[in-house]
Amino acid sequence: MIRIKAFDTLFFRDNKPFTLGQETTADSVFPPMPSVYYGALRSTYLARNFKSITEIDGENDESKNLKILGVYYASGSSDDINELNVYVPIPLDLVIPKDSSSDDSSIKAKLLKIKKLDNVITSCPTEYVLTSDYNVEPINKGIITKYTLEKYLCGDLDDYSYKSLSSFIEYEPKVGIARDGTKTSKEGMLYRINLIRPKNLSFLVDYKGINLETEGFLKLGGQHRPSYYHQIQDIVKLNKNYLQQDDKYFKLYLLTPGLFSKGWLPKIVDEATMTLTYGNIKAKLITAAIGKSKHISGFDMKIKKPKPIYKVVPEGSVYYFALLEGTVQDVYQNFHLKSICDIDNDYVNRGFGITLVGRVNNW
């Protein structure tokens, strides 16, 4: 695991076109996709071990074994990792009263209740829905501590403290203009971008497959902004089975955005029956809390062509299942801290679709 700290502002561009002379504004998105960290780590390795881009993906390219195992946030300016607060995206079945301020620390998030759809004509494909007795809304860019997440996965709390990820960053607009070879401004080439400045916020990335130096520098995001990284011990430690032996229900929480061939639904779930089949596990999807889809693309530097655009299920989304066959230990071993991304193994390696398994007790 490494901790990444930015020296300056960062820029994570969205998927919209940005062509000088046509589009004048490039929006920055935050948090970035896990593939951003994959690209930063792999580029750092390649820069120190390869001389030509033609060697990438060759027989001697160990960087193709890189796999992102988890992405987390850490707040605190101290270099002592024991003094850091570790955060993860808030589960999307946690909500607050409508029209509440997401920055109000006195407001606690509540867990939605599972309700059966009786005598209701609906297009909802599941037998149950998540509902509340009062008007509620999701928390924009909410994050919770590792401690709170573990309580959530165990089903031990009624109220959940949270923070807004936006409170850890500042947006700094930058205006520029393109210049020609004589350093003269080009007409119609004015552009504007939104840069992001982290405030006592760093990134924790768990990975395997390559050997990086103990510490060093890497380029993170657009404009190749310099950042410093150093190896740390695993301070997250979420590799526990939060289920109980007699549990008949479980939930899958997306730690990172999910990339699925069926859109919002993982390939292992049959659309007609809403039944998950994986190994000796069979489970019925009973409901889900899914956020607004995101989009991901990119540019392949080797073949110099844009990558396909995919819809992505946002991090924090939650799927509820009733266990039909198999044991809770089977569920834990097959899904906890594992990727359920099914588009391409490349996206599995880039850290998409990593899930955590939790208990269901919000009936």
Side-chain angles (χ1 to χ4, degrees):
M1 177 174 284
I2 62 171
R3 180 188 181 193
I4 302 175
K5 295 191 292 184
F7 284 132
D8 199 355
T9 53
L10 298 171
F11 180 59
F12 305 111
R13 225 191 84 195
D14 62 9
N15 64 301
K16 291 184 294 187
F18 182 52
T19 305
L20 291 176
Q22 299 178 23
E23 299 292 333
T24 59
T25 301
D27 292 326
S28 187
V29 295
F30 195 82
M33 294 287 180
S35 51
V36 169
Y37 306 105
Y38 176 91
L41 268 60
R42 191 174 183 190
S43 296
T44 301
Y45 178 89
L46 290 171
R48 294 171 183 172
N49 294 277
F50 286 81
K51 297 180 180 180
S52 171
I53 195 171
T54 58
E55 299 179 76
I56 297 177
D57 293 327
E59 292 184 3
N60 299 322
D61 182 9
E62 294 183 1
S63 72
K64 61 187 177 183
N65 299 321
L66 173 62
K67 187 172 185 178
I68 301 297
L69 304 177
V71 177
Y72 312 90
Y73 311 106
S75 71
S77 56
S78 173
D79 288 332
D80 185 351
I81 60 173
N82 295 313
E83 295 183 10
L84 295 177
N85 292 314
V86 178
Y87 292 93
V88 298
I90 193 168
L92 295 185
D93 53 356
L94 296 181
V95 295
I96 55 175
K98 193 171 180 62
D99 300 325
S100 299
S101 171
S102 60
D103 294 326
D104 189 344
S105 60
S106 66
I107 298 175
K108 306 295 183 182
K110 296 280 190 179
L111 187 61
L112 291 170
K113 298 295 183 181
I114 304 173
K115 182 179 180 181
K116 191 168 185 177
L117 285 172
D118 288 323
N119 302 318
V120 176
I121 299 175
T122 176
S123 61
C124 180
T126 58
E127 186 178 359
Y128 296 83
V129 293
L130 293 167
T131 185
S132 174
D133 294 331
Y134 51 91
N135 290 333
V136 295
E137 61 185 357
I139 301 165
N140 184 34
K141 296 185 179 179
I143 54 174
I144 57 176
T145 63
K146 182 196 78 166
Y147 170 82
T148 303
L149 176 69
E150 292 190 292
K151 291 296 182 182
Y152 165 84
L153 294 174
C154 292
D156 287 347
L157 295 179
D158 294 323
D159 301 322
Y160 295 85
S161 299
Y162 69 91
K163 292 189 175 183
S164 171
L165 189 56
S166 299
S167 65
F168 290 96
I169 62 172
E170 290 180 347
Y171 286 99
E172 296 185 6
K174 175 185 176 182
V175 177
I177 192 167
R179 297 185 295 183
D180 58 22
T182 62
K183 297 186 178 181
T184 302
S185 299
K186 292 183 179 180
E187 185 177 352
M189 292 296 182
L190 187 70
Y191 67 91
R192 179 183 182 275
I193 59 176
N194 260 335
L195 301 177
I196 293 170
R197 184 177 296 279
K199 300 186 297 183
N200 287 332
L201 181 72
S202 54
F203 310 101
L204 305 180
V205 182
D206 195 10
Y207 70 97
K208 68 177 183 179
I210 60 173
N211 292 315
L212 291 175
E213 296 176 358
T214 305
E215 59 181 342
F217 302 98
L218 54 76
K219 298 175 181 179
L220 187 63
Q223 297 197 332
H224 305 296
R225 295 295 173 126
S227 298
Y228 167 76
Y229 79 87
H230 64 103
Q231 303 279 355
I232 62 171
Q233 66 187 51
D234 182 2
I235 61 174
V236 182
K237 297 179 180 178
L238 291 172
N239 53 340
K240 307 169 190 174
N241 190 346
Y242 300 98
L243 299 176
Q244 296 183 5
Q245 198 64 35
D246 58 348
D247 281 340
K248 300 300 181 184
Y249 298 90
F250 66 92
K251 63 173 68 173
L252 297 182
Y253 153 83
L254 285 181
L255 176 67
T256 58
L259 201 54
F260 308 127
S261 56
K262 296 180 182 178
W264 71 279
L265 200 62
K267 188 177 181 179
I268 53 178
V269 179
D270 181 79
E271 287 183 274
T273 63
M274 289 291 128
T275 301
L276 176 151
T277 305
Y278 192 85
N280 62 337
I281 299 171
K282 184 172 285 188
K284 178 86 170 182
L285 178 66
I286 58 173
T287 189
I290 307 296
K292 183 180 179 181
S293 64
K294 301 181 179 181
H295 294 82
I296 183 172
S297 182
F299 191 83
D300 193 313
M301 295 296 294
K302 189 172 183 181
I303 63 176
K304 301 188 184 302
K305 288 184 178 180
K307 296 178 181 178
I309 297 178
Y310 292 110
K311 277 190 175 182
V312 180
V313 177
E315 64 277 12
S317 295
V318 184
Y319 298 84
Y320 284 70
F321 292 92
L323 185 60
L324 304 176
E325 296 179 13
T327 66
V328 293
Q329 189 62 29
D330 294 329
V331 173
Y332 170 77
Q333 291 178 348
N334 283 280
F335 295 118
H336 194 70
L337 287 174
K338 305 289 177 58
S339 173
I340 58 173
C341 170
D342 57 50
I343 287 287
D344 191 309
N345 275 339
D346 285 345
Y347 287 97
V348 172
N349 293 337
R350 292 169 194 168
F352 286 89
I354 298 173
T355 64
L356 299 176
V357 180
R359 299 190 67 219
V360 174
N361 62 352
N362 48 323
W363 295 95

